[in-house]
Amino acid sequence: MSDFSNDYNIKKLNKKNDAKVGEKFSPTILRFIRRKWLNIWNCNPPGLILLLLGATVALIMSIPIFYVAWRSLFAGKSRWTRLLDQRIPQLLWNTVSLTAVVMVFTLIIGVSLAFVTIRTDIPFKKMWRWLLALPLIIPPYVGAVTYIIIFGRSGWARNFWRSVPWLVDNFGDYPINIFSFWGVAFVLTMFTYPYVYLITSASLRKMNRNFEEAARSLGMNNFQVFWKVILPALRPAIGASAILVALYVLSDFGAIAMLRYVTFTAAIYFQRVGFDTASASVLSLVLIVITIIILWIESKTRKNNKYYQTSNTYRKPSVLKLGKWKTVTILYVSIIFIVSVVLPIIVLVYWSIIGIRMGALDNRFIGFALNSLKVSSLAALLCMFLSMPVIYLKMRYPSIFTSIIERLSFAGYALPGVIVALGFIFIFNNYIPALYGTFYVVALAFVVRFLPQAMQSGEASLSLVSPKIDEAARSLGCPPWLVMFKVILPNMLPGVLAGGALVFVSSLKELPATLMLRPPGFDTLAVRIYFEASEAIYHLAAPAALLLIIVSIIPLRYMLSKY
């Protein structure tokens, strides 16, 4: 009994001593934690509400990546082995080879067109600068539909070919096959080269003339100046635009599906349609790894390719006289414009007229347009609201936390729509079933895909707002989140609205995420274009496609003003 009471007293004494030690050292520990916290934020931490808002946005944006990584880990060894032995090698070759070929051709076309329109005396330069950027307003799956109508097995070109006996006798029965690797590469090249063209044009306009004159003083001719001076200085712009093209090709589904070519995105979609989500997640993880590798290569090459020029000696670049090459140059530029813009527009106008005469613009069409308007407007509003905390944290409270939040917020932009949709299917079907099968899930998927567009536009506007305005509002007792919405937002509203407009138009054209997430009976214009064109009902697909192109002029105007 005495031993028990002694043990009890010893334990009681130890608890008192521990309490005294805690009382003695807890303020020290708290001060240490507080000091570390302040150091992370440079003695200017954001409020808890603002930080939670930013963290919530980052969590929503990272759902697809976390889902794919988690689901693929439990896909099973047999499924991994089967896919690695049979499916993944062929998909890897199809995807990588297509991406490489499209990158090469877009670089050749984009750089050459930028040089011609910026650095030569080609007639109507201002007009060509606008016209050559127009392919951006045509979604590739819409372009694929028009090229199928022109070059398909029963298309206009084949009918013309067979009507000319000399062509059949000398070259055989119609040699063009649009449903092939080269057909897919051609379509994607025609509608992605403007990424290279616009970014390269912007760099060419800022290039200093002094470097070229120094090279000519050393005896170099125009060809040598281009290869040894101009082209090396354009490497950062060329690299950035090549990455944009590569990411677009990796994520494209519509044009690839229309032309019956199978890459990772198409395979993921068809696996999901077949309810094999485990295999779809494995393929998605491989595609994410490819995307990360491309981004890593781009970051490494960008560090090694840095060129600077002093502004105090800047002189506008000289204009090269084409001379005898003027006719050839005009012909080259005209062919690119006709193939990438004129022919698709002619096809769509032709079939739209037929469709309107046959009553295509009926209540059914209006319903599809209203569905597109509803879900795209909601996505734009959400992006404008959700982009604010991330932008504000990055610009006003830089730290390692805000860097992580920003990078996670950009994750969805680099992912194909099928992967984003796959993650949302799993999360909402298993944990938030009340929202699953509603158009709200489609809008949230659009937010994950296009939030960076709103962020980039809003960031440009916030950079023009002085931090002193924030300090004045904080000195009056406003918390950071209230300062952001009541003081800063009104001052950067034009940029926020511009970002919302970009998101709206991009959401109108988004196809794979809408296909996989839309509720029953909720079809948008993009979905109907896909299904009607797949069934060769072109008079119903063309009016919707033409409407999307007309609306897409909004972001093109923004991009041209930017570049």
Side-chain angles (χ1 to χ4, degrees), residues 401-412:
F401 293 113
T402 53
S403 297
I404 293 172
I405 289 172
E406 184 204 7
R407 290 178 183 179
L408 288 176
S409 298
F410 271 86

Side-chain angles (χ1 to χ4, degrees), residues 141-142 144-145 148 253-260 266 269-270 273 509-512 515 518 524-538 540-542 544-545 548:
Y141 60 85
V142 172
V145 172
I148 290 171
F253 168 78
I256 288 170
M258 290 282 187
L259 297 172
R260 302 170 193 172
Y269 174 77
F270 292 121
V273 171
K509 299 186 291 184
E510 173 63 22
L511 177 62
L515 275 174
R518 76 192 196 284
T524 62
L525 291 174
V527 171
R528 292 323 304 174
I529 292 169
Y530 175 77
F531 283 123
E532 306 290 10
S534 299
E535 299 295 328
I537 311 175
Y538 299 127
L540 295 180
L548 287 184

Side-chain angles (χ1 to χ4, degrees), residues 57-93:
V57 173
L59 180 63
I60 295 172
M61 298 293 286
S62 58
I63 284 175
I65 294 179
F66 290 150
Y67 161 73
V68 167
W70 177 263
R71 191 74 177 85
S72 59
L73 289 176
F74 297 96
K77 183 179 178 180
S78 59
R79 184 174 277 104
W80 270 98
T81 304
R82 176 173 56 83
L83 291 172
L84 286 171
D85 289 343
Q86 301 175 8
R87 199 78 191 276
I88 290 178
Q90 185 61 46
L91 289 174
L92 197 60
W93 169 252

Side-chain angles (χ1 to χ4, degrees), residues 50-173:
L50 179 60
L51 188 59
L52 287 176
L53 285 173
T56 303
V57 173
L59 180 63
I60 295 172
M61 298 293 286
S62 58
I63 284 175
I65 294 179
F66 290 150
Y67 161 73
V68 167
W70 177 263
R71 191 74 177 85
S72 59
L73 289 176
F74 297 96
K77 183 179 178 180
S78 59
R79 184 174 277 104
W80 270 98
T81 304
R82 176 173 56 83
L83 291 172
L84 286 171
D85 289 343
Q86 301 175 8
R87 199 78 191 276
I88 290 178
Q90 185 61 46
L91 289 174
L92 197 60
W93 169 252
N94 290 352
T95 304
V96 174
S97 60
L98 180 64
T99 303
V101 168
V102 173
M103 279 178 60
V104 170
F105 282 111
T106 52
L107 289 177
I108 293 172
I109 294 174
V111 173
S112 61
L113 291 178
F115 187 81
V116 165
T117 56
I118 300 298
R119 300 299 303 275
T120 70
D121 63 342
I122 186 173
F124 311 109
K125 289 175 68 170
K126 291 184 178 180
M127 180 189 73
W128 283 121
R129 289 177 190 173
W130 162 261
L131 293 179
L132 292 173
L134 284 177
L136 276 182
I137 68 175
I138 305 176
Y141 60 85
V142 172
V145 172
T146 62
Y147 285 131
I148 290 171
I149 294 173
I150 297 173
F151 299 111
R153 295 186 180 93
S154 58
W156 297 354
R158 184 169 187 173
N159 294 335
F160 171 77
W161 186 278
R162 289 185 169 182
S163 66
V164 181
W166 180 83
L167 291 174
V168 177
D169 294 338
N170 290 274
F171 299 100
D173 184 41

